[in-house]
Amino acid sequence: QVQLVESGGGLVQAGGSLRLSCAASGRTLTSYAVGWFRQAPGKEREFVAVISRSDSTIYYADSVKGRFNISRDNSKNTVYLQMDTLKPDDSAVYYCGANRFGTATTTNTYEYWGQGTSVTVPS
């Protein structure tokens, strides 16, 4: 079992930055690909970014490419999502997920999820 806890969300003005953290316990995250997803009110959960187990493969959604950066710190068993140049459309609850199978961009591949952290970018 892997327990995931997201943190770092908040209210930020358009153009600002936030860094989200996904801290794991129970097992080391190096055994898992870790993805970030987000869900806005009334919408489905959508893919944001994913990093492979070896860090050799990273994918981003087109909507965040060039603005967001995913990374991991194995010493802290944590994966980060650095979000820059934030826009109102980035407002959502952000979730991290872990899976043993690879750099999946669909939610049904993920075995473990955190509880989410809210990001609000006022228009």
Side-chain angles (χ1 to χ4, degrees), residues 1-18:
Q1 286 281 347
V2 176
Q3 292 78 43
L4 302 174
V5 178
E6 302 95 334
S7 62
L11 175 70
V12 63
Q13 297 302 312
S17 298
L18 284 174

Side-chain angles (χ1 to χ4, degrees), residues 81-94:
L81 184 69
Q82 177 67 40
M83 307 188 297
D84 298 322
T85 320
L86 283 160
K87 305 175 181 180
D89 284 349
D90 296 318
S91 297
V93 177
Y94 283 71

Side-chain angles (χ1 to χ4, degrees), residues 34-114:
V34 177
W36 284 97
F37 290 74
R38 65 188 181 187
Q39 188 167 17
K43 296 187 176 181
E44 293 188 353
R45 193 171 297 191
E46 66 174 8
F47 167 74
V48 175
V50 62
I51 187 167
S52 65
R53 288 175 290 182
S54 64
D55 298 356
S56 60
T57 302
I58 290 175
Y59 295 126
Y60 295 98
D62 288 344
S63 59
V64 307
K65 204 171 292 183
R67 300 187 298 121
F68 290 11
N69 183 68
I70 188 171
S71 62
R72 65 165 89 218
D73 184 338
N74 293 332
S75 68
K76 296 182 178 179
N77 213 24
T78 298
V79 170
Y80 301 100
L81 184 69
Q82 177 67 40
M83 307 188 297
D84 298 322
T85 320
L86 283 160
K87 305 175 181 180
D89 284 349
D90 296 318
S91 297
V93 177
Y94 283 71
Y95 299 89
C96 65
N99 84 83
R100 292 169 291 172
F101 307 110
T103 49
T105 60
T106 56
T107 57
N108 58 358
T109 309
Y110 286 79
E111 304 165 80
Y112 304 103
W113 292 96

Side-chain angles (χ1 to χ4, degrees), residues 25-37:
S25 60
R27 289 185 180 176
T28 175
L29 273 183
T30 55
S31 299
Y32 298 86
V34 177
W36 284 97
F37 290 74

